[in-house]
Amino acid sequence: MSGLFPENGPAEMQVFPLQSIDLVVMPDDHPFHAAESAAAAENWRDEIAANPALFDGRMVFFDRVRLAGGALQAEGHLMPLSSFLWWRKQKTPLRGVHIFGWAIPISSDGAVIAIRMGPQTANAGLVYCAAGSLDANDIVGDRCDLSGNLRREVLEETGLDLSEAEPASGWYGLHRGRRVTLYRYFRFERTAEELLAAIGRHMAIDHEKEIDAAVAIRSADPTAHPYSQMMLPILRQFFEAVDGGRKGVA
């Protein structure tokens, strides 16, 4: 287990239920960005040389996170993507927490709908559910609107509208190192074939071209696709519930 949560907290890659989520955005610079901006700028030159399509937008990057009694609270700061990519290269970062949300779309015939990221993105080739880091568009007052982030990112990347799906009753989380995923299941009335076709139509007109394929996942087999590692516990949770005779996770 990492030191991100107290000793009695969840182990790495262990799914935990959440009763509440409170993501506060502080007005000052993130301590990592303040200390590493020069090194991040130098690294950014290498990043855009390798991938000119990258854009150095600002994202919400967290510094403190607490979990107690199913309540997750965190404090974050707006920070350039260039600083985050530099942080991501650190083998054992001493501070900074990447918190992001995932909507997990479920088709009417029981498949998890995911995407494969395009070659021009920072996660080229990886398969996971449509998502994006929290950014300035997700801030309401001094808090992050996580549900709004899920709706926006899924619509932008796939053309699917989460307002057409039935959200599951609760949120879940898991962590790996200094990364935390907060996710929720959304059940669509359309089949996997229909959802993949809809995503295909969106891809044909999408100018951003962030994704290069959509996939329907029907098992927890970790070798089926080049998954983002954080997807694996989610797939196990969902398909174990299905195999147990229930309609997935409530």
Side-chain angles (χ1 to χ4, degrees):
M1 186 178 76
S2 80
L4 188 60
F5 296 124
E7 287 301 315
N8 60 349
E12 285 195 351
M13 302 295 275
Q14 174 185 315
V15 170
F16 52 89
L18 288 166
Q19 302 301 318
S20 65
I21 299 170
D22 185 24
L23 306 177
V24 180
V25 182
M26 308 300 289
D28 54 343
D29 283 340
H30 194 288
F32 179 84
H33 173 68
E36 298 285 336
S37 58
E42 183 176 351
N43 179 69
W44 180 247
R45 289 191 286 272
D46 295 335
E47 296 282 357
I48 59 174
N51 189 352
L54 290 175
F55 172 67
D56 197 15
R58 294 199 303 166
M59 59 181 284
V60 182
F61 189 59
F62 293 84
D63 187 48
R64 302 176 187 275
V65 59
R66 296 174 295 277
L67 178 65
L72 186 139
Q73 297 177 311
E75 294 178 359
H77 310 252
L78 281 169
M79 186 176 86
L81 174 66
S82 54
S83 290
F84 171 69
L85 293 182
W86 175 238
W87 175 86
R88 198 167 70 167
K89 286 187 172 180
Q90 311 308 305
K91 290 184 178 179
T92 54
L94 297 178
R95 67 184 312 164
V97 182
H98 185 208
I99 298 177
F100 59 96
W102 260 342
I104 312 298
I106 307 300
S107 67
S108 62
D109 52 344
V112 174
I113 305 300
I115 58 174
R116 186 174 69 228
M117 297 304 294
Q120 78 280 15
T121 64
N123 295 316
L126 288 182
V127 171
Y128 51 87
C129 292
S133 294
L134 292 151
D135 63 29
N137 295 304
D138 304 312
I139 300 174
V140 179
D142 63 350
R143 257 69 177 177
C144 288
D145 176 8
L146 185 57
S147 294
N149 168 267
L150 299 189
R151 289 192 299 271
R152 176 173 59 82
E153 292 292 344
V154 171
L155 187 62
E156 288 179 359
E157 294 187 6
T158 69
L160 300 181
D161 189 345
L162 290 182
S163 68
E164 299 176 357
E166 181 69 25
S169 57
W171 289 82
Y172 297 91
L174 65 132
H175 74 104
R176 184 186 187 208
R178 302 191 70 81
R179 293 166 174 83
V180 179
T181 302
L182 308 175
Y183 66 95
R184 193 177 194 181
Y185 294 96
F186 289 81
R187 297 183 177 280
F188 284 84
E189 293 184 354
R190 287 180 280 177
T191 65
E193 183 178 358
E194 291 170 332
L195 292 172
L196 294 185
I199 296 172
R201 291 191 293 271
H202 174 76
M203 291 173 60
I205 61 173
D206 180 23
H207 298 297
E208 296 294 330
K209 305 298 182 186
E210 289 188 80
I211 67 175
D212 66 0
V215 298
I217 303 168
R218 297 188 180 277
S219 80
D221 178 4
T223 67
H225 299 282
Y227 289 118
S228 164
Q229 288 297 304
M230 302 291 264
M231 279 290 293
L232 300 181
I234 298 172
L235 296 177
R236 285 197 300 270
Q237 178 195 38
F238 178 74
F239 288 108
E240 283 176 4
V242 171
D243 293 342
R246 293 184 286 128
K247 296 180 179 179
V249 180

